[in-house]
Amino acid sequence: MIKISIPSVLLSMRPKISLIISLVFVMGLFFYLNRIDYHSNSQVLAAEECILVVETPPSFYTSAMFRTKGYDPLTKEPCECNHYNRWWSSYKSEIGLGDTIVKKKGELVFSIHKKDTTITYKFQTQY
């Protein structure tokens, strides 16, 4: 009977190889499960609505979310807009007292109406 001996170097590498394979599998699973669903995200953003004349600009608030107070231009009743996504927050510095912000339900367009200018931002998914 011939006895084959496995070198000790190969035996010591066995746990390392299985650890590397396990880590690669876990990383692959992590990346697969943490994909961004751009379509669902854009549907959530499209469902939001906010139309108001700004009385308290969003830059007044220190939080990262978008928040502003004002009144509805049609009914003149007080209202407030809160938005937890970074899309609107990107434009906080451009919105001032007396500006009208418009985000209509079903659209992916955010507009800032100033006295002489309208600034329009379209939401773009990043595929």
Side-chain angles (χ1 to χ4, degrees):
M1 181 176 210
I2 300 175
K3 201 172 192 182
I4 301 174
S5 68
I6 301 173
S8 62
V9 172
L10 289 178
L11 288 176
S12 67
M13 287 181 60
R14 202 178 219 174
K16 292 176 185 177
I17 292 172
S18 62
L19 177 66
I20 290 171
I21 291 171
S22 298
L23 286 173
V24 167
F25 176 75
V26 169
M27 286 176 51
L29 187 63
F30 175 77
F31 286 121
Y32 176 76
L33 295 176
N34 283 316
R35 294 181 317 212
I36 297 174
D37 185 359
Y38 293 107
H39 181 68
S40 294
N41 187 32
S42 63
Q43 286 180 333
V44 169
L45 293 174
E48 296 176 342
E49 182 175 49
C50 180
I51 301 172
L52 69 76
V53 177
V54 177
E55 293 181 321
T56 306
S59 57
F60 177 78
Y61 300 101
T62 57
S63 67
M65 67 176 236
F66 182 89
R67 181 177 178 197
T68 187
K69 289 183 181 180
Y71 62 90
D72 185 305
L74 299 175
T75 64
K76 306 294 186 217
E77 292 196 20
C79 61
E80 183 175 326
C81 287
N82 292 309
H83 184 69
Y84 300 95
N85 193 299
R86 285 188 262 170
W87 181 33
W88 297 5
S89 294
S90 302
Y91 316 118
K92 282 172 42 167
S93 63
E94 297 178 39
I95 301 169
L97 184 66
D99 293 347
T100 302
I101 57 173
V102 178
K103 166 52 183 85
K104 294 180 182 176
K105 195 173 215 166
E107 295 181 3
L108 289 172
V109 176
F110 179 76
S111 299
I112 305 166
H113 298 260
K114 298 185 172 285
K115 289 181 182 179
D116 60 350
T117 308
T118 300
I119 305 167
T120 303
Y121 295 101
K122 293 179 182 177
F123 180 77
Q124 295 185 6
T125 55
Q126 300 170 358
Y127 290 104

